Amino acid sequence: LGGYHSLAVGNNDTIMNNANGSIAFGSLNRIGGVMSLAVGSNVKIESSYSLGLGHDLKLIGSSGCMVIGNGIIGSGANPNVSLENSYGNSLLIGFNSTKPTLTVSPSPNDYPQGDTLAKTGKVAIGDVPMPDIAAKLHIRSDYGENAGIILEPKDLTSSSTFIQMRDEYHGIWVDDNGDMKIISRSGFNYSRLLLEGKVGIKLTEYLTEALGLA
């Protein structure tokens, strides 16, 4: 046990020298950063002001690095492998994998060097490395997996389903009768709806085959 005001409770937990104010609960955890917390088993934290909750986790980013979940427990000649976060001020959540299912990126705030205080980070679902997150919400499927979003109301007879874009005058709606509407207008004036490329109508047979409904 090293570091001032630190605490290790469990089996073979280690807090390195100068890892002041850190706490480890569980077994085989190791903390090398100040003011960090490891709870679980085989959680390795090199970052300061960081949190690891689960088992077989590795936190090697700068300060404010967080991981919740677990890596993969090996067997025989195959060792355990960790779910790893190498980026500071970010959160990774994943289970039974070396890749996160959910990533929350750091915010681009530059205080106190600048005056940016209220910007927020981005969210990714799937294996999207932090530098590749290209939108406020970025979803990437695994190999052999469909990339889709399902919006499903519990009560189909009295609830609508919609995606609103920009404001309440632009979006896609499916009403409680099951009818789909594409709306694009500015107030009471309808806007232009531009469709680039080819547009098909009454492609029932094609869609049935493409969606595997035949």
Side-chain angles (χ1 to χ4, degrees):
L1 175 64
Y4 295 106
H5 309 296
S6 295
L7 175 66
V9 180
N11 178 37
N12 291 326
D13 288 330
T14 303
I15 297 181
M16 308 300 290
N17 291 334
N18 300 320
N20 302 328
S22 293
I23 302 174
F25 288 99
S27 63
L28 302 174
N29 299 311
R30 187 183 71 236
I31 300 179
V34 302
M35 302 295 293
S36 293
L37 172 63
V39 179
S41 175
N42 200 27
V43 177
K44 312 299 183 186
I45 302 179
E46 298 179 12
S47 311
S48 297
Y49 304 98
S50 297
L51 166 67
L53 177 62
H55 71 76
D56 294 292
L57 308 176
K58 186 180 293 185
L59 294 77
I60 60 175
S62 58
S63 65
C65 190
M66 298 185 181
V67 181
I68 299 175
N70 54 65
I72 301 174
I73 298 177
S75 62
N78 298 311
N80 294 8
V81 288
S82 299
L83 173 61
E84 179 179 310
N85 189 355
S86 58
Y87 295 92
N89 296 313
S90 64
L91 168 66
L92 268 58
I93 299 177
F95 299 91
N96 195 38
S97 177
T98 59
K99 302 295 183 181
T101 299
L102 177 70
T103 300
V104 179
S105 77
S107 303
N109 297 320
D110 58 358
Y111 178 83
Q113 286 75 23
D115 57 1
T116 301
L117 294 174
K119 288 189 175 181
T120 59
K122 300 175 182 178
V123 176
I125 297 175
D127 181 18
V128 186
M130 200 81 64
D132 294 347
I133 302 177
K136 206 64 177 179
L137 175 62
H138 188 156
I139 300 175
R140 177 181 292 171
S141 66
D142 295 328
Y143 289 109
E145 178 183 56
N146 295 327
I149 299 175
I150 298 176
L151 303 178
E152 182 180 7
K154 188 70 173 181
D155 186 354
L156 299 178
T157 62
S158 62
S159 300
S160 298
T161 305
F162 63 90
I163 299 176
Q164 180 176 305
M165 292 169 279
R166 184 177 177 177
D167 54 38
E168 66 270 25
Y169 301 116
H170 299 84
I172 302 173
W173 271 263
V174 177
D175 62 24
D176 52 10
N177 292 320
D179 297 324
M180 188 176 78
K181 307 172 184 177
I182 299 176
I183 298 177
S184 178
R185 68 176 189 263
S186 298
F188 295 102
N189 298 315
Y190 283 91
S191 304
R192 292 181 298 171
L193 180 62
L194 304 179
L195 301 175
E196 297 184 0
K198 300 179 180 178
V199 178
I201 300 176
K202 292 186 177 181
L203 299 179
T204 304
E205 294 182 1
Y206 172 78
L207 291 174
T208 299
E209 180 179 355
L211 296 174
L213 301 177

